[in-house]
Amino acid sequence: QVQLVESGGGLVQAGGSLRLSCTASGSGFSIINMGWYRQAPGSQRELVARITSSGGTNYADSIKGRFTISRDNAKRMAFLQMDSLKPEDTAVFYCWMSVWSSGRSLELWGQGTLVTVSS
């Protein structure tokens, strides 16, 4: 069974930086796309950034120029470098991966990691 585990969330002052990591564990799967979503209190979950298997990226307009998504295929990891953080970035951040396993495509979610940005 494939599982995603995130780390790196926490409390940071406005203008600061955090780096989120996500590791996929298990066997018998190959990762296609990776991404990060976030959900602020009272809001719907929204896309932050995605990265394809070939390294193509897309970002939400609200974080362009401040966040950078990357991946390490050998380690089965996704990263989100977040700089110039703002209080409105406060949210639970979720790692997402699309994988190919046992002849079918699956979408996986991590448990979420809380990012709190103080003003």
Side-chain angles (χ1 to χ4, degrees):
Q1 187 172 359
V2 186
Q3 290 186 323
L4 304 183
V5 177
E6 301 116 334
S7 62
L11 174 64
V12 64
Q13 287 189 331
S17 298
L18 283 175
R19 179 176 168 89
L20 304 183
S21 300
C22 175
T23 304
S25 63
S27 62
F29 68 97
S30 57
I31 301 172
I32 306 169
N33 299 321
M34 300 180 180
W36 291 91
Y37 286 72
R38 68 184 179 184
Q39 187 167 16
S43 300
Q44 291 188 333
R45 191 174 297 189
E46 62 177 6
L47 173 68
V48 175
R50 278 197 182 190
I51 184 167
T52 68
S53 56
S54 58
T57 58
N58 65 291
Y59 295 94
D61 288 342
S62 60
I63 57 86
K64 280 182 180 177
R66 300 188 296 121
F67 293 7
T68 303
I69 189 171
S70 60
R71 61 190 284 168
D72 185 327
N73 292 326
K75 295 182 178 179
R76 295 177 169 177
M77 295 185 71
F79 305 96
L80 186 68
Q81 177 66 40
M82 305 186 292
D83 300 316
S84 302
L85 282 160
K86 303 176 181 180
E88 52 263 43
D89 292 319
T90 295
V92 177
F93 281 71
Y94 296 90
C95 177
W96 168 88
M97 293 189 188
S98 61
V99 305
W100 188 257
S101 177
S102 301
R104 58 178 182 158
S105 177
L106 302 172
E107 292 198 349
L108 306 174
W109 293 90
Q111 80 285 357
T113 185
L114 177 62
V115 172
T116 304
V117 184
S118 63
S119 57

